[in-house]
Amino acid sequence: VISPGKLAFKRLVDIIGGIVGTILSLPIILIVAIPLKLESSGPLIFKQQRVGKNGRIFNIYKLRSMYEDAEERKKVLQEQNQMDGHMFKMDNDPRITKVGKFIRKTSIDELPQFWNVLKGDMSLVGPRPYLPREKEDMKEYYEYIVSCKPGLTGLWQVRGRNDVSFNDRLRLDKKYSMEKGFKLDIKIFFKTFLVVFKRKGAK
């Protein structure tokens, strides 16, 4: 169990990181917004419900990387799903725009999540933010995972991101929840830069 003092320190780090991340992200988002909006119609920012600490539902923010009718087209493509559980992934997903492929590979699509960190919905480091419909697939891992805020990055991201299976993500997120601490957060945070730079597991 993390002491109240350590939790307060983690929140302070999140606020500072959230402010710096938001300021640095804004010019990048504004530049990417032009080709993104020119290529396809729809909102610039995509929001989706995710499960937060203690099971609280919140809206996560991302730059839209898919066409507006992505959810409808997903039903048709479901048989080509390469992941287990409620996760969906396929090679050359036709729902992803050209600009969307670029911002996913570079993780630019996730920059708006610094706002989630500032709001307190997420932390800089933590478990993967799961979808509400994935709760039934999380089984015994659920209580461990919702014991802390979901993260902008985490063990699953530094171990391969989209190349990590759903069950392996659950195991990694449980491991984080049991071993969480400042030293582990620092280690994960700096490893994330290497993973993003190398584009490891990015799709």
Side-chain angles (χ1 to χ4, degrees):
V1 179
I2 296 181
S3 67
K6 288 181 179 179
L7 281 174
F9 179 72
K10 183 175 173 68
R11 179 60 188 145
L12 177 62
V13 172
D14 283 343
I15 291 170
I16 295 170
I19 291 170
V20 173
T22 300
I23 292 170
L24 294 177
S25 297
L26 277 174
I28 301 171
I29 291 172
L30 290 172
I31 292 168
V32 171
I34 299 168
L36 197 153
K37 292 290 286 182
L38 285 174
E39 184 182 6
S40 62
S41 61
L44 175 65
I45 302 295
F46 169 77
K47 66 179 182 178
Q48 188 179 51
Q49 287 192 331
R50 296 296 176 100
V51 180
K53 187 176 181 179
N54 299 322
R56 185 180 69 84
I57 303 298
F58 70 97
N59 284 321
I60 197 172
Y61 302 107
K62 291 187 176 187
L63 283 174
R64 180 177 55 82
S65 60
M66 292 186 172
Y67 292 101
E68 269 196 291
D69 61 347
E71 280 303 310
E72 288 73 28
R73 293 168 71 178
K74 178 182 172 182
K75 297 169 186 175
V76 179
L77 300 166
Q78 194 63 48
E79 61 184 34
Q80 298 180 56
N81 188 14
Q82 298 169 344
M83 298 295 281
D84 47 3
H86 283 91
M87 288 180 67
F88 182 88
K89 187 188 78 173
M90 64 175 285
D91 292 330
N92 300 313
D93 191 332
R95 301 173 305 150
I96 303 173
T97 65
K98 291 177 182 177
V99 178
K101 287 179 182 177
F102 170 74
I103 62 176
R104 282 188 170 207
K105 280 186 175 293
T106 53
S107 295
I108 289 173
D109 66 318
E110 298 185 5
L111 291 179
Q113 287 169 42
F114 279 111
W115 180 242
N116 283 118
V117 174
L118 258 181
K119 286 176 63 187
D121 298 325
M122 295 174 64
S123 181
L124 291 173
V125 182
R128 173 180 177 264
Y130 289 84
L131 293 161
R133 65 172 179 265
E134 292 175 325
K135 181 179 177 180
E136 60 186 83
D137 296 322
M138 294 165 74
K139 299 173 183 175
E140 71 273 13
Y141 296 98
Y142 179 80
E143 294 301 328
Y144 289 98
I145 292 168
V146 299
S147 67
C148 41
K149 289 180 183 178
L152 190 61
T153 186
L155 280 175
W156 59 274
Q157 186 152 0
V158 299
R159 295 288 176 86
R161 300 165 76 187
N162 287 309
D163 289 336
V164 180
S165 71
F166 184 78
N167 286 330
D168 284 341
R169 289 187 189 193
L170 290 172
R171 283 189 280 271
L172 287 169
D173 286 336
K174 178 183 176 181
K175 178 180 172 67
Y176 175 83
S177 73
M178 295 178 72
E179 299 176 5
K180 59 183 179 286
F182 184 66
K183 287 183 179 179
L184 180 60
D185 282 5
I186 290 292
K187 186 177 179 181
I188 292 170
F189 192 75
F190 283 104
K191 272 191 174 182
T192 300
F193 285 103
L194 292 174
V195 171
V196 172
F197 182 74
K198 293 178 180 178
R199 299 183 185 181
K200 183 180 178 184
K203 293 180 182 176

